[in-house]
Amino acid sequence: MTEINKILVTGAAGFIGYHLSERLLSEGRQVTGLDIFNDYYDPALKEARAALLEKHDGFRMVRADMADRDAMKQLFEKEKFDGVVNLAAQAGVRYSLINPHSYTDTNLVGFVNILEGCRRAQVKHLVFASSSSVYGSNTRMPFSVHDNVDHPVSLYAASKKANELMAHSYSHLFALPCTGLRFFTVYGPWGRPDMALFLFTKAILEDRPIDVFNYGRMKRDFTYIDDIIEGVVRVLDMPARPDPAWSGDAPDPSSSHAPWKIYNIGNNRPVELIRYIEVLEECLGKKAQKNLLPMQPGDVPATYADIGDLVRDTGFHPSTTLEEGIPKFVEWYRNYYRV
């Protein structure tokens, strides 16, 4: 197993980045966090996460924009990271309909700066966040990493697919080990305020109605944050390798002749949105006022992760149920906001 002890986590003040940094630090690794602390959602939440990380001796936060080429060049030259986990991104499917340029700035320009830094510093492994949204118009369930994903239905999804392709080119040209992780609807404590669980909890506690799209029939492979982090850490310690069985005559979209690999990380158990709301109502002891609405542009009716490759290669199978995970979020929310 490759020793990966000095790690750059981009988006470290974000939801997943915070949890990953805490886990790596608990294992005695050195973590440099990178975050721009923008106002896509309440920066106070990012500052609160960062303050907890900065209590660790092995942690340092760099406040910079990964789209800043010079800043990224200097960071990689100075630090000599063993591994990089790129979690920084302009997130959100719906926001990409109103602010497309923020996606190209961060998800494309920023990501090529990370790739360049990894190449020049000869980083042992780049792990990067992709998304279940890359499956786009695909309807065959469960979504498999071996299926073609060339029909995105949002610019966010297209930018994530582009990240996978960009990483492949660097893996091919420079033998840079790269692994992309397609996350499926992550939730849990310290979650993002623009995500359904946070929005619903806030609205229900404030006696406001919640918008329930696709009349609650939407299905999502809701994945608890601890399961995501366990998957990321296991993959980080297994740098991607060329697939000896890969053939250009019948190319497998999940692997390559280069050291490049794609995995799904999901709960492998899709649940209807209406059930998600029911579990939340039970935890809050309060019924939601539901504003039932049709599907939104850029959304998909269902997500369902085939995690066979992840289980085979890492031995890990996400298993946290909604009935276990949602109460932990509610407990955090009540404590953090004192409600």
Side-chain angles (χ1 to χ4, degrees):
M1 190 177 286
T2 304
E3 286 288 314
I4 296 181
N5 290 317
K6 188 173 185 182
I7 301 153
L8 172 66
V9 176
T10 72
F15 171 34
I16 301 174
Y18 160 71
H19 283 279
L20 177 64
S21 298
E22 284 280 14
R23 169 68 182 271
L24 294 171
L25 289 162
S26 76
E27 295 178 352
R29 310 200 212 197
Q30 278 183 274
V31 177
T32 297
L34 175 74
D35 211 290
I36 191 175
F37 291 84
N38 67 16
D39 61 359
Y40 169 66
Y41 63 78
D42 183 10
L45 190 59
K46 300 175 188 180
E47 294 289 357
R49 297 184 191 121
L52 291 175
L53 292 175
E54 285 168 336
K55 291 179 180 177
H56 295 269
D57 291 338
F59 183 81
R60 182 170 83 90
M61 181 66 83
V62 175
R63 292 169 181 256
D65 184 352
M66 68 182 198
D68 181 337
R69 190 189 307 178
D70 290 338
M72 293 304 96
K73 185 169 181 285
Q74 289 168 23
L75 177 64
F76 277 90
E77 284 174 355
K78 180 183 176 187
E79 296 290 350
K80 303 288 187 278
F81 301 111
D82 298 324
V84 174
V85 184
N86 184 64
L87 299 171
Q90 177 57 64
V93 168
R94 289 162 199 152
Y95 189 62
S96 67
L97 299 174
I98 57 172
N99 195 354
H101 295 292
S102 62
Y103 290 78
T104 54
D105 292 345
T106 302
N107 301 6
L108 302 181
V109 176
F111 190 61
V112 83
N113 289 340
I114 295 296
L115 287 167
E116 270 295 288
C118 290
R119 170 177 83 89
R120 292 179 185 279
Q122 296 185 304
V123 164
K124 296 173 185 173
H125 195 193
L126 166 62
V127 176
F128 63 96
S130 185
S131 166
S132 61
S133 67
V134 300
Y135 289 101
S137 296
N138 289 22
T139 53
R140 184 165 68 177
M141 297 281 176
F143 290 149
S144 170
V145 291
H146 303 287
D147 291 341
N148 176 289
V149 288
D150 283 342
H151 299 89
V153 295
S154 70
L155 184 64
Y156 170 69
S159 74
K160 287 300 188 179
K161 167 68 174 176
N163 285 172
E164 296 179 1
L165 298 175
M166 292 159 73
H168 184 271
S169 68
Y170 269 68
S171 187
H172 165 74
L173 291 167
F174 308 113
L176 172 65
C178 295
T179 303
L181 302 176
R182 294 174 180 166
F183 297 147
F184 281 69
T185 316
V186 191
Y187 74 98
W190 293 100
R192 281 182 13 222
D194 62 320
M195 297 290 282
L197 185 56
F198 204 114
L199 292 168
F200 291 168
T201 300
K202 183 170 168 41
I204 293 167
L205 288 174
E206 293 174 359
D207 295 313
R208 291 185 293 104
I210 60 172
D211 289 341
V212 181
F213 294 101
N214 201 27
Y215 309 103
R217 294 193 296 268
M218 206 108 77
K219 280 191 168 183
R220 288 290 179 268
D221 206 340
F222 297 106
T223 312
Y224 188 64
I225 184 63
D226 290 0
D227 287 337
I228 291 286
I229 299 308
E230 182 64 31
V232 173
V233 171
R234 292 201 190 198
V235 166
L236 175 63
D237 289 326
M238 294 180 353
R241 295 184 203 161
D243 178 1
W246 194 88
S247 166
D249 287 339
D252 177 358
S254 75
S255 65
S256 175
H257 62 275
W260 178 91
K261 183 72 181 158
I262 298 290
Y263 292 106
N264 285 333
I265 302 188
N267 210 39
N268 191 227
R269 195 183 314 171
V271 175
E272 274 201 344
L273 182 60
I274 208 74
R275 174 58 188 157
Y276 192 60
I277 295 166
E278 285 170 2
V279 176
L280 178 59
E281 289 173 327
E282 289 162 17
C283 291
L284 294 173
K286 205 169 178 184
K287 284 284 182 187
Q289 303 167 48
K290 301 177 190 75
N291 184 19
L292 300 175
L293 297 166
M295 189 104 99
Q296 289 195 114
D299 248 336
V300 295
T303 65
Y304 178 8
D306 178 336
I307 55 170
D309 285 28
L310 180 76
V311 175
R312 180 196 68 213
D313 293 352
T314 69
F316 175 62
H317 191 304
S319 60
T320 307
T321 64
L322 287 182
E323 290 75 13
E324 295 168 307
I326 289 179
K328 292 178 182 178
F329 171 82
V330 169
E331 181 185 13
W332 167 80
Y333 186 95
R334 286 190 178 279
N335 287 336
Y336 184 76
Y337 290 103
R338 297 182 174 86
V339 289

